[in-house]
Amino acid sequence: MPAIAGPSSSPQKHVVGSRLEIIGGLRSAEVNTSRKRKLRSDSAAEVLPVNLMSTPMKWKSPRRCAVSTPKTSDEEIKEDSNGDLASPVISAVKNLSVCVDVKSEWNPRDDEQMKAVKEALHVSKAPSTVVCREDEQRRVFEFVKGCMKQKKAGSLYICGCPGTGKSLSMEKVRQQAEEWAKQAGLPCPETVSVNCTSLTKTTDIFSKILGKSESGRKANASSSPLQQLQSLYSQKQQQSSSKMMLIIADEMDYLITRDRGVLHELFMLTTLPFSRCILIGVANAIDLADRFLPKLKSLNCKPVVVTFRAYSKEQILRILQERLVALPFVAFQSNALEICARKVSAASGDMRKALCVCRSALEILEIEARGSIDQEPQSPVPECQVVKMNHMLAALSKTFKSPVVDTIQSLPQHQQIIVCSAAKAFRGSKKDRTIAELNKLYVEICKSSMITPAGITEFTNMCTVLNDQGILKLSQARDDKLRRVSLRVDEADITFALKEIRFFRNCLL
Amino acid sequence: MDKETPAEKSLNLIRGRLCAPSFVFRPLCASSDSNYSKLKFIVSTSITEGCNNSILLLGPRGSGKAAVLDLVVGDLLQEFPDSVSVIRLNGLLHSDDNCAFKEIARQLCMEHHLLFSKMASLDENSQFIVAMLRECGLAHKTIIFVLDEFDMFAQGKQRLLYSLLDAMQSVTSQAVVIGISSRLDADQLLEKRVRSRFSHRKILFLPPSREEFDGLLEHLLSLPADSSFPSGYVSRFNEKIKNIKSDTRFKDILRTLFNANSTMNSLLKFIFRAVSLMNLESGLLSLENFKAALSSMQRQPKLEAVRDCSILELYLLVCMRRLEVKEQRSYNFISVMKEYKTIHDSFQTSDYYAQNVCLRAFEHLRERQVTCYAENRGQTQTGEYRPMKLLISASELHQGMRSHACCPAILLKLLDH
């Protein structure tokens, strides 16, 4: 059963994944030609071909079997909400409460345990079930099912901020569609999964679709792929039960050209009388369909829009817990996870960021643990060193803090005076000044504190250095002195950075 | 060829050290809190655990970002000889997507001894890169992408960044992307999709503090006690360095330097100049070397122009300054001459020249860019009536006149009053 490893993959890439279940201590071996971690620990030759078609591949380390207790050794997170599960292997449904009791101790100095946790939190690891997106997934799946049942074409548009699980859900929907087709006895749909950033020309998408289409016709020299597709879909098919084509176009806004031709034609393909394609477009803009495809509305074939909202705090927390609950030990304190979820959901609701922050907190803990090894090799391992609030707060500040404040604090004195004078100069409505005016202000400040001001050449050099760092913005001009300067940094940041030094505090009053 | 004297040998040794970034930044490896260790930790855990990562190194120009990165990469290539390969791109050269993909493909081909075809299209190159990433992932080889001038890659459609960071989202590839930039807000320049895939690790390179710089001086300037130098010479040299460092005047010099520009680059340049001025006969450094180095680094061209002026030109400058003090915003040659005459009348100076001589001196001042026309319009007016302005400040004029070889005292008095 083909299953795709990652969201962005070319149509030709197929990865055979099969997943084994262990019950009671049988070793689990997994063949996956693309899973390098498996190869590291044992040979790739062990293939036990029990196919689990329903659940997508869930990577499981054989090492964990040694660590885990019998109760937690086989966990099978229940599958998606659809409930169409035809798994021949018994899966022990994990009881969360049971697991919490028997979780073993976690030692941050243990390399393997650390590795396991980090992998569980890595962005590239696709979880077995996609939690918190059941609703949206179901809607898309119903749409696809409907199209397949009635053998009609249709188009769907999925939008949402980055990091909200769109591509992930599309993969799951695709697998669900294939299984369902098998069950219902319909022919399995052909899938074309295209990431539009990889197209050199926007019209290449049509050749990709044509290449996959059932008739397998190569692009003729006489007509473009688009015309061929259009002719294909305008005539009645020879076979009555021809396959549907599922087209998933990721990052669809790369197809937007000035005349919006390609995007339009793509959606129009679904309106042709004998069309067989189900088009799912994924992008970030909510109103892409309205803005760029106004004509479709008049033809009454506007695509269905499914919005993936940014994750809320509870959703992020739940997803993090799901990822970690599979591990046989407790690595994070619950309030640490909670504060991470709260901060990330307030900022952007981006799941990738939450995972990143958690990994960063893990690393801080690791450095701490390692650091204590270096200092006292004989000290006993402190009990239960999990990721606590202080680690998580440090990781959050590292991720969300801008380096501007630190840099301003460590600038040489003259450059600090320049930044200070710029802050004063741009307080009012004037948004940019020439270098000569700024120089005057700078000289004034220097004089007021008996510091020798630097000459104009030196001053211009320092302004260029600050421009390089992104603190000031310098425009080009014929004459050095006529260049216009504006401030890129917030004045509040400057005040905050320089508040320790009394001189600047008084200056900025 | 005759043998080098110890002085020359030590000079060569120290200059060689200053020009080798690996030597300069080596003490950083010892401390566990430095940027070197942070970077090394992140990259080595990515290699050993086989997970993908992306890091940004930020800091002003000349603060040692590329040098520290080279150190880290060199150490990693030694530790893991077969599992690391490095691809280097520069934002100034490869910001165009076509160029960048071609360059990556070419470097990958070189690493793995494959044949590279210049005719390959962008599509083929990108498919090749994806395939190579997958193969390297299978073979447990980590590819480190070093993107210099990262903010240049963030112009345009950011396709290269998107494809690289997207490839790292899949489990099949094992790569680390390290970006180097001098813009602090480099990650704000990224598009939201690219920023979401970037893992927000930033390492800030700050200029060294005074204590760190002291340690650095020690590390760079002390000669090793090996047999290539006569032993007495080594101890004398190191003793002299210690004396200089504890001198308060040296501390003042350092403070002036730190107030202007405290990046590693400028500090290394300062030491280099001081060392190059070493007296080869005595073979020891002295405080004067450092003073001369400081003044050569902080040149003031206008000051030097004033210092070279003739007495008449100085008179004219003082007159212009006095007019400015009297709130006369615009003045031309005629008004300067009037002021000149007033001075001569009140102080009976001996330097009173005719008008055409003064005009020539005035022109000289304009040619040397000590004065210039106040406006660019009004070209039809003759030179005498065009308004002029001074291009140097009062303090520069003061300083220049004080350091002038033979400036009459009366001029200084006139300037002050």
Side-chain angles (χ1 to χ4, degrees):
Chain A
M1 180 57 58
I4 297 291
S8 63
S9 51
S10 68
Q12 281 76 17
K13 205 161 43 158
H14 286 299
V15 168
V16 173
S18 56
R19 196 188 159 285
L20 235 310
E21 190 71 341
I22 37 161
I23 299 179
L26 271 174
R27 257 180 84 79
S28 87
E30 200 175 28
V31 167
N32 187 337
T33 54
S34 71
R35 293 285 186 180
K36 55 195 172 299
R37 289 174 207 111
K38 234 7 240 167
L39 298 178
R40 222 205 309 283
S41 45
D42 43 60
S43 67
E46 298 181 30
V47 183
L48 297 172
V50 177
N51 260 337
L52 258 198
M53 303 176 299
S54 56
T55 55
M57 89 196 134
K58 175 170 178 331
W59 180 83
K60 206 168 132 154
S61 155
R63 283 192 297 268
R64 264 206 262 139
C65 310
V67 176
S68 55
T69 65
K71 269 193 193 157
T72 60
S73 61
D74 41 294
E75 42 263 46
E76 172 71 56
I77 315 269
K78 229 31 178 114
E79 64 311 318
D80 52 326
S81 55
N82 256 5
D84 282 349
L85 187 52
S87 79
V89 185
I90 302 168
S91 51
V93 178
K94 189 161 60 125
N95 199 343
L96 274 173
S97 58
V98 172
C99 275
V100 165
D101 298 8
V102 295
K103 288 235 189 229
S104 51
E105 267 307 306
W106 185 51
N107 182 5
R109 296 188 197 163
D110 186 354
D111 278 339
E112 305 191 339
Q113 289 185 337
M114 184 63 87
K115 211 182 283 207
V117 179
K118 281 198 189 165
E119 274 173 20
L121 287 176
H122 199 268
V123 183
S124 56
K125 177 168 165 5
S128 54
T129 48
V130 182
V131 292
C132 303
R133 288 289 174 219
E134 294 96 349
D135 207 20
E136 287 91 350
Q137 255 185 277
R138 195 180 32 166
R139 274 182 71 186
V140 180
F141 184 53
E142 293 297 324
F143 172 80
V144 172
K145 244 187 352 187
C147 284
M148 279 170 59
K149 265 194 206 147
Q150 302 163 13
K151 290 201 194 288
K152 250 180 38 157
S155 58
L156 182 77
Y157 173 63
I158 293 186
C159 56
C161 298
T164 43
K166 303 185 291 289
S167 307
L168 200 58
S169 307
M170 284 313 102
E171 281 313 308
K172 296 289 187 297
V173 163
R174 206 175 67 147
Q175 288 154 5
Q176 282 175 10
E178 281 165 357
E179 294 145 24
W180 178 81
K182 265 213 178 52
Q183 283 182 337
L186 293 170
C188 193
E190 295 273 341
T191 343
V192 182
S193 191
V194 179
N195 192 323
C196 300
T197 50
S198 61
L199 302 171
T200 12
K201 277 189 321 178
T202 45
T203 44
D204 283 348
I205 188 167
F206 296 119
S207 28
K208 281 216 162 81
I209 301 176
L210 191 64
K212 269 294 235 167
S213 87
E214 197 191 357
S215 53
R217 265 190 279 170
K218 294 288 180 198
N220 293 341
S222 54
S223 54
S224 71
L226 172 59
Q227 287 165 341
Q228 286 192 305
L229 278 174
Q230 283 175 334
S231 65
L232 181 64
Y233 290 139
S234 309
Q235 304 153 5
K236 183 131 175 66
Q237 299 296 325
Q238 286 84 352
Q239 306 121 314
S240 54
S241 66
S242 50
K243 289 196 182 182
M244 303 290 290
M245 164 120 31
L246 182 62
I247 308 174
I248 303 182
D250 226 341
E251 315 288 356
M252 219 172 55
D253 39 352
Y254 275 87
L255 290 180
I256 297 178
T257 51
R258 200 141 45 111
D259 59 347
R260 299 162 196 170
V262 175
L263 203 58
H264 213 259
E265 294 302 329
L266 190 60
F267 275 91
M268 291 292 278
L269 277 180
T270 58
T271 64
L272 295 172
F274 294 102
S275 171
R276 287 226 160 294
C277 42
I278 309 173
L279 174 66
I280 302 184
V282 183
N284 293 125
I286 294 186
D287 55 353
L288 194 107
D290 293 327
R291 258 194 299 155
F292 296 106
L293 303 168
K295 275 202 229 169
L296 291 185
K297 196 158 147 205
S298 58
L299 288 170
N300 210 16
C301 51
K302 252 182 75 165
V304 178
V305 176
V306 178
T307 317
F308 274 60
R309 300 229 135 71
Y311 286 118
S312 70
K313 167 182 163 261
E314 292 81 18
Q315 288 176 326
I316 297 186
L317 192 55
R318 213 178 125 206
I319 295 177
L320 286 175
Q321 282 168 344
E322 286 286 323
R323 281 197 179 221
L324 291 172
V325 83
L327 299 171
F329 38 73
V330 174
F332 283 79
Q333 253 187 6
S334 49
N335 50 355
L337 283 180
E338 207 182 298
I339 194 165
C340 168
R342 194 187 309 231
K343 184 76 200 251
V344 173
S345 68
S348 57
D350 187 345
M351 196 60 219
R352 289 192 184 110
K353 208 155 193 177
L355 290 172
C356 190
V357 169
C358 291
R359 293 186 72 212
S360 191
L362 259 183
E363 278 171 13
I364 295 178
L365 178 69
E366 193 175 346
I367 295 182
E368 212 181 82
R370 293 257 171 90
S372 56
I373 295 185
D374 298 333
Q375 284 149 18
E376 307 153 24
Q378 278 89 21
S379 73
V381 176
E383 345 51 59
C384 210
Q385 252 196 338
V386 292
V387 176
K388 301 203 186 59
M389 285 280 276
N390 50 339
H391 303 126
M392 193 56 89
L393 286 170
L396 281 169
S397 73
K398 247 176 38 168
T399 313
F400 284 100
K401 188 162 83 142
S402 86
V404 168
V405 171
D406 276 337
T407 315
I408 294 184
Q409 279 176 342
S410 60
L411 282 176
Q413 191 187 45
H414 279 282
Q415 292 183 16
Q416 279 177 335
I417 300 181
I418 296 181
V419 169
C420 199
S421 49
K424 272 176 90 164
F426 297 117
R427 239 175 222 174
S429 51
K430 227 170 156 7
K431 278 307 150 204
D432 67 350
R433 290 178 185 256
T434 61
I435 283 198
E437 292 168 17
L438 197 64
N439 190 19
K440 261 200 212 125
L441 278 173
Y442 162 76
V443 165
E444 267 171 33
I445 297 185
C446 280
K447 275 209 192 127
S448 70
S449 63
M450 307 298 178
I451 304 177
T452 347
I456 184 74
T457 345
E458 191 68 33
F459 181 79
T460 322
N461 285 345
M462 289 199 273
C463 283
T464 321
V465 167
L466 289 172
N467 172 42
D468 258 348
Q469 293 188 258
I471 299 179
L472 291 179
K473 186 160 112 122
L474 224 53
S475 71
Q476 297 299 327
R478 214 177 358 111
D479 186 11
D480 237 3
K481 287 208 178 157
L482 295 176
R483 288 165 87 171
R484 305 205 74 88
V485 185
S486 56
L487 196 58
R488 263 204 190 123
V489 174
D490 219 11
E491 195 195 322
D493 280 338
I494 301 178
T495 327
F496 180 72
L498 295 175
K499 70 179 191 308
E500 300 293 316
I501 309 175
R502 186 147 46 110
F503 167 63
F504 290 118
R505 245 207 329 260
N506 297 339
C507 217
L508 286 168
L509 274 176
Chain B
M1 192 172 95
D2 51 347
K3 277 196 341 182
E4 288 177 323
T5 67
E8 283 170 6
K9 248 204 294 205
S10 62
L11 190 61
N12 286 339
L13 176 71
I14 297 182
R15 285 208 283 215
R17 280 180 184 175
L18 287 168
C19 295
S22 56
F23 184 84
V24 172
F25 290 99
R26 194 39 75 173
L28 292 178
C29 309
S31 100
S32 64
D33 198 23
S34 64
N35 288 334
Y36 168 85
S37 357
K38 282 189 216 161
L39 187 60
K40 183 138 186 246
F41 178 69
I42 296 180
V43 184
S44 53
T45 44
S46 308
I47 296 179
T48 48
E49 295 171 7
C51 54
N52 302 324
N53 246 325
S54 46
I55 315 161
L56 207 51
L57 304 180
L58 300 173
R61 286 199 191 277
S63 42
K65 306 182 289 281
V68 169
L69 179 64
D70 283 338
L71 266 184
V72 170
V73 167
D75 286 346
L76 288 173
L77 281 173
Q78 280 184 337
E79 267 183 53
F80 309 100
D82 285 325
S83 350
V84 175
S85 56
V86 185
I87 309 276
R88 289 174 194 269
L89 292 175
N90 193 315
L92 293 169
L93 301 170
H94 306 127
S95 63
D96 177 39
D97 289 324
N98 272 326
C99 247
F101 278 111
K102 201 188 259 201
E103 181 64 21
I104 300 180
R106 188 187 68 86
Q107 291 193 18
L108 281 173
C109 287
M110 248 179 27
E111 277 279 328
H112 299 99
H113 310 291
L114 301 168
L115 221 49
F116 172 69
S117 146
K118 289 197 203 141
M119 295 294 135
S121 70
L122 181 68
D123 238 350
E124 292 167 11
N125 276 335
S126 63
Q127 281 174 3
F128 171 67
I129 292 170
V130 168
M132 278 304 285
L133 278 174
R134 199 179 30 206
E135 287 302 317
C136 287
L138 286 176
H140 312 309
K141 229 178 168 225
T142 312
I143 305 186
I144 300 183
F145 288 95
V146 176
L147 300 176
D148 232 333
E149 313 287 343
F150 188 76
D151 40 304
M152 297 285 203
F153 282 110
Q155 295 166 349
K157 273 197 161 181
Q158 305 183 5
R159 248 171 92 165
L160 171 70
L161 289 178
Y162 181 84
S163 6
L164 276 184
L165 290 174
D166 202 38
M168 284 177 24
Q169 301 277 293
S170 69
V171 264
T172 51
S173 51
Q174 214 170 328
V176 182
V177 172
I178 306 179
I180 306 180
S181 174
S182 63
R183 284 216 30 187
L184 300 172
D185 54 350
D187 61 333
Q188 305 298 324
L189 295 171
L190 297 174
E191 219 195 354
K192 57 180 178 335
R193 277 181 281 237
V194 182
R195 197 171 347 143
S196 167
R197 285 167 168 83
F198 173 68
S199 80
H200 290 101
R201 286 199 168 87
K202 296 189 270 238
I203 298 186
L204 197 54
F205 279 76
L206 295 172
S209 64
R210 296 291 294 270
E211 298 77 24
E212 287 172 11
F213 185 60
D214 273 339
L216 189 69
L217 269 181
E218 183 79 40
H219 171 68
L220 287 171
L221 291 178
S222 35
L223 290 179
D226 62 7
S227 56
S228 54
F229 292 101
S231 62
Y233 173 69
V234 169
S235 50
R236 266 182 302 141
F237 191 89
N238 293 342
E239 191 62 39
K240 194 76 202 296
I241 301 281
K242 266 213 238 329
N243 289 344
I244 293 178
K245 270 174 50 173
S246 46
D247 197 341
T248 41
R249 290 172 292 170
F250 183 69
K251 292 205 175 69
D252 283 338
I253 293 178
L254 279 189
R255 197 191 358 256
T256 329
L257 190 63
F258 264 81
N259 280 347
N261 189 352
S262 57
T263 54
M264 277 302 278
N265 216 1
S266 76
L267 295 172
L268 287 176
K269 278 194 198 148
F270 167 69
I271 304 177
F272 192 91
R273 280 179 212 225
V275 166
S276 306
L277 294 169
M278 184 166 87
N279 185 351
L280 281 177
E281 288 177 2
S282 69
L284 302 173
L285 284 174
S286 70
L287 193 63
E288 278 63 39
N289 299 141
F290 287 99
K291 269 202 201 135
L294 182 68
S295 54
S296 79
M297 278 190 74
Q298 297 188 333
R299 282 187 56 222
Q300 285 171 307
K302 299 283 187 217
L303 207 61
E304 286 164 19
V306 171
R307 232 181 280 157
D308 291 338
C309 280
S310 69
I311 310 285
L312 177 57
E313 288 162 2
L314 284 180
Y315 263 99
L316 292 175
L317 284 175
V318 168
C319 291
M320 288 171 75
R321 177 71 201 140
R322 283 169 67 92
L323 286 176
E324 264 189 14
V325 167
K326 288 186 197 163
E327 302 292 326
Q328 238 181 305
R329 283 288 105 194
S330 81
Y331 39 83
N332 55 16
F333 178 64
I334 306 297
S335 38
V336 172
M337 284 309 292
K338 269 201 214 126
E339 178 73 19
Y340 184 49
K341 188 158 190 324
T342 356
I343 293 181
H344 175 70
D345 288 339
S346 41
F347 289 100
Q348 300 297 321
T349 57
S350 56
D351 300 303
Y352 190 64
Y353 294 96
Q355 178 131 342
N356 49 354
V357 180
C358 293
L359 185 57
R360 208 145 353 122
F362 207 67
E363 280 299 312
H364 279 173
L365 283 179
R366 192 181 62 80
E367 276 164 17
R368 305 193 64 205
Q369 299 262 319
V370 184
T371 62
C372 71
Y373 291 128
E375 308 140 0
N376 274 330
R377 306 163 291 149
Q379 304 245 349
T380 49
Q381 288 176 315
T382 52
E384 298 161 327
Y385 292 95
R386 287 181 70 173
M388 309 286 286
K389 65 176 183 192
L390 269 178
L391 282 180
I392 57 175
S393 63
S395 56
E396 280 174 335
L397 185 56
H398 234 118
Q399 225 179 326
M401 280 172 47
R402 246 178 277 137
S403 52
H404 195 271
C406 43
C407 174
I410 185 139
L411 275 182
L412 285 170
K413 207 168 71 145
L414 283 171
L415 198 59
D416 288 333
H417 136 71

